[in-house]
Amino acid sequence: MAELISSKPQPLSTADRSPVLAAIEGVLHLFQADLLRRRSVRLLLLAVLLIPCALRTYLGAPIPMKRYGPDAFILLDGAWRVLNGQVPHVDFYSSFGPVMYLLVALGMKLASTTALGLSYCQALVGVVLAFWSFRISTRRLAAVPAVLFCVFVVLLSLAPYEIGESPASLAPSTTYNRYSYALLALIVLESLCPPRTVANGADEELAGGISTGIALGITLFLKISFFLAGVPLLAALCVCRRQERRRWIGCASGFGLLFLAVMVYLRFDVAVVWHDLRLTASTKKIPLQRAVDVLLPTFGPMLWLIFLSFFASFVRTRGEGNTFPRHLTFAAVVVAIVNYLVILGNHQDSGLPLGVALSIILLGVICGGRSYPKSDRNLTLYRAVLFIWSAFFFIPPIASDLAGLGYGAIEANRYRRSSVLEFDSPRLKPMLFVGPREFGSSYVTCINEGIHMLRGQPANETIATLSYTNPFPYALGRTPAHGGTTYFWVDYNFSDRMRPPGELMLGDASIVMVPKYWSDGGAVDGFGGYVKRNYNLAQESPCWALYRRK
């Protein structure tokens, strides 16, 4: 190994330089070229990054959902509560932080309170992350790796399917996981890569710290499991580059300002926030079999990443100072472990988005500094092998996310001209459930049946359900009940060993809709007795039993 990457270049005559070797050197040089010096090129890159955001907006009408369609109502119900003046944690039980509901509420505002707000929300997040990732990456990576990093982050936030599943399985669920992964990717980049320029290095360290602090703060109020992953990630990666005092000042400032702003919104009611998070943590159950099932598909990619980082650490650069991260193997181990632990707490079986971010960062190391010796045949070939190795890690997920966006646009255009059973509510018209069984027409039929039943009830009565999600207040434009929750899912926000009181899960609802189909998330078994004790059966249909408070 030492002989292969010897610091003494082996000079080659012109005759010895094969076209293949020259082409390899050209590609490696391209990945270190300063292509973003001109302002017009930077503006063009930003415009290109905004194209997927526009495409995600195009998916909005209609939104074809082939899997996990009912999950959309978790976000829509929570955002509808926010639009009606309720505050997450303070006014209703939520295992998610307020950020996701606020984002969807903003999208709904732009979409005249229709379900188009889901697509608008995701497109807006993509726009913000496009500018954010551009600002951070272009000052820490060479041009081409920076472009790849921006493309990866934007597509990660926009793709309309669950991470680890087929891009053809269009779904509205777990967008909060995508946003959180994108934020952690930004933290990984800033933690590993110092600013490339020395002139404004102090200011860039401050700006990078502010970025990391804000990103970490958002994960705290978006999905706390990612915050619990982000803190040790940030701490462990400290050894991978020189630490500057201004960076940590910026990090503390960014986190503190974000924390203060959200706590003002939450009325500084720390007790209710802690109650919801503690209750969620105590109800979550991760069996040993789940840990094994997740490890099997992720172990290979984790080893791939660790060995890539190990061999990349042998690449010696000259004249680059402290612009490249150190202890790459350790960084890869940390990233792999953190990503694995995050998967365990998610509705996700595979996929290493943080590893993809690291593999793109490694390109800067693999392709070398601007001054590495091009005449060294062995070093050039070594870098070429590592380059291909890293490409096999980051190209498939980027291509998959891009394919998901393209497929979603094609399907949205196709369903514009087809006759699919629609929800009987103007707000829900943009959503098309085109999946099998509970993700398709049978679910839409039952929801429409419930809507028809509730239209005959007094408009001032508030509505809850013992179903997995509650579409009715939003679909009918009714004032949501005070209290309650946005979803029922056994072992996620309640369990047999930690069952919250019925008053917490249903609030002060005047009516409770109890489903007769299976998609209840375990709510009927868990809280059916409470409903029968406090409500009277008032009406029945093939899909629903309507209970009114005694």
Side-chain angles (χ1 to χ4, degrees):
M1 179 69 70
E3 182 181 354
L4 177 64
I5 54 177
S6 170
S7 60
K8 294 182 179 181
Q10 303 173 12
L12 299 174
S13 65
T14 305
D16 292 333
R17 292 173 61 80
S18 68
V20 174
L21 187 62
I24 292 173
E25 291 175 349
V27 172
L28 295 176
H29 178 69
L30 176 65
F31 272 71
Q32 280 299 326
D34 192 3
L35 303 177
L36 298 175
R37 286 179 299 177
R38 299 174 60 182
R39 184 182 180 188
S40 58
V41 178
R42 296 196 299 270
L43 292 176
L44 178 62
L45 171 59
L46 284 172
V48 171
L49 291 174
L50 296 180
I51 291 175
C53 303
L55 186 62
R56 186 65 187 89
T57 305
Y58 178 78
L59 266 63
I63 308 173
M65 300 179 181
K66 298 193 172 184
R67 297 197 70 182
Y68 313 126
D71 284 54
F73 294 113
I74 299 175
L75 306 179
L76 293 172
D77 180 41
W80 181 243
R81 288 171 176 267
V82 168
L83 291 177
N84 278 271
Q86 293 190 16
V87 177
H89 302 306
V90 177
D91 294 312
F92 62 94
Y93 168 43
S94 176
S95 54
F96 302 112
V99 170
M100 193 65 213
Y101 299 130
L102 289 169
L103 289 172
V104 177
L106 176 59
M108 288 169 60
K109 271 288 189 182
L110 297 175
S112 302
T113 70
T114 69
L116 283 173
L118 293 173
S119 287
Y120 289 1
C121 163
Q122 205 162 0
L124 286 171
V125 172
V127 170
V128 171
L129 287 172
F131 283 94
W132 194 346
S133 61
F134 178 86
R135 175 64 176 78
I136 295 297
S137 64
T138 55
R139 286 159 174 79
R140 286 166 171 77
L141 297 173
V144 176
V147 171
L148 286 172
F149 187 86
C150 292
V151 170
F152 161 68
V153 168
V154 171
L155 291 179
L156 174 64
S157 66
L158 293 176
Y161 66 96
E162 287 203 359
I163 295 173
E165 299 201 0
S166 166
S169 300
L170 302 177
S173 51
T174 66
T175 50
Y176 38 81
N177 287 346
R178 289 189 169 275
Y179 303 160
S180 300
Y181 271 125
L183 293 169
L184 289 187
L186 292 173
I187 293 175
V188 169
L189 173 62
E190 193 276 333
S191 296
L192 289 176
C193 300
R196 285 168 60 86
T197 58
V198 179
N200 299 320
D203 292 339
E204 287 302 324
E205 288 284 12
L206 179 64
I210 292 173
S211 167
T212 292
I214 292 175
L216 194 63
I218 293 175
T219 61
L220 174 61
F221 296 107
L222 179 60
K223 191 176 181 185
I224 194 170
S225 59
F226 282 88
F227 172 77
L228 296 177
V231 171
L233 182 69
L234 177 62
L237 295 182
C238 285
V239 301
C240 296
R241 73 173 178 97
R242 181 179 176 181
Q243 298 300 312
E244 300 288 345
R245 181 183 177 187
R246 289 175 67 87
R247 176 184 182 242
W248 289 104
I249 292 175
C251 188
S253 300
F255 181 84
L257 290 174
L258 191 283
F259 182 86
L260 180 63
V262 177
M263 288 309 298
V264 168
Y265 173 70
L266 295 176
R267 304 169 190 169
F268 289 98
D269 199 338
V270 179
V272 295
V273 176
W274 173 250
H275 171 270
D276 285 4
L277 297 180
R278 185 174 59 84
L279 183 58
T280 301
S282 62
T283 57
K284 254 191 176 176
K285 182 180 178 182
I286 303 178
L288 178 61
Q289 187 60 45
R290 162 72 176 165
V292 174
D293 291 342
V294 170
L295 183 62
L296 291 177
T298 57
F299 187 69
M302 288 164 62
L303 282 183
W304 183 289
L305 178 69
I306 292 170
F307 279 112
L308 171 64
S309 302
F310 172 75
F311 288 110
S313 66
F314 286 99
V315 175
R316 300 178 183 178
T317 58
R318 295 170 175 78
E320 295 296 327
N322 294 317
T323 59
F324 286 144
R326 302 172 298 188
H327 308 299
L328 294 175
T329 307
F330 173 75
V333 171
V334 170
V335 167
I337 292 175
V338 168
N339 206 147
Y340 171 74
L341 294 176
V342 168
I343 294 175
L344 285 181
N346 288 347
H347 187 256
Q348 176 189 348
D349 295 325
S350 61
L352 293 174
L354 300 184
V356 176
L358 179 58
S359 69
I360 295 174
I361 294 170
L362 289 174
L363 282 180
V365 179
I366 293 168
C367 295
R370 290 183 290 273
S371 58
Y372 87 89
K374 294 184 180 180
S375 57
D376 189 341
R377 180 201 298 268
N378 289 339
L379 182 56
T380 298
L381 293 177
Y382 184 75
R383 293 176 191 273
V385 171
L386 294 179
F387 178 90
I388 296 172
W389 192 343
S390 65
F392 273 107
F393 202 95
F394 67 79
I395 288 179
I398 291 177
S400 178
D401 288 346
L402 186 60
L405 272 176
Y407 178 72
I410 293 172
E411 289 294 277
N413 187 62
R414 182 168 73 90
Y415 282 109
R416 281 184 174 92
R417 300 188 298 269
S418 65
S419 57
V420 177
L421 181 64
E422 297 180 342
F423 288 104
D424 188 14
S425 166
R427 289 183 173 84
L428 303 184
K429 288 288 186 183
M431 293 198 304
L432 297 180
F433 281 36
V434 295
R437 300 184 305 278
E438 72 277 8
F439 302 135
S441 58
S442 60
Y443 181 83
V444 177
T445 298
C446 282
I447 297 302
N448 286 343
E449 184 180 290
I451 290 174
H452 296 158
M453 290 177 66
L454 290 168
R455 280 179 177 152
Q457 309 304 318
N460 62 343
E461 291 188 319
T462 54
I463 306 162
T465 70
L466 281 188
S467 181
Y468 169 53
T469 54
N470 182 13
F472 298 119
Y474 170 66
L476 295 167
R478 301 279 184 91
T479 301
H482 187 271
T485 184
T486 55
Y487 72 99
F488 286 85
W489 195 0
V490 65
D491 291 333
Y492 275 81
N493 68 342
F494 74 95
S495 66
D496 292 336
R497 67 181 186 280
M498 183 61 69
R499 187 173 301 173
E503 294 85 355
L504 178 70
M505 301 298 285
L506 294 170
D508 62 1
S510 309
I511 292 174
V512 176
M513 299 289 287
V514 180
K516 296 181 179 180
Y517 55 92
W518 73 270
S519 182
D520 61 13
V524 173
D525 290 340
F527 300 94
Y530 171 83
V531 170
K532 290 180 179 179
R533 289 192 301 272
N534 294 275
Y535 293 79
N536 289 321
L537 179 62
Q539 190 176 342
E540 286 190 271
S541 72
C543 289
W544 299 95
L546 187 154
Y547 285 81
R548 179 172 280 106
R549 186 176 288 276
K550 293 179 180 178

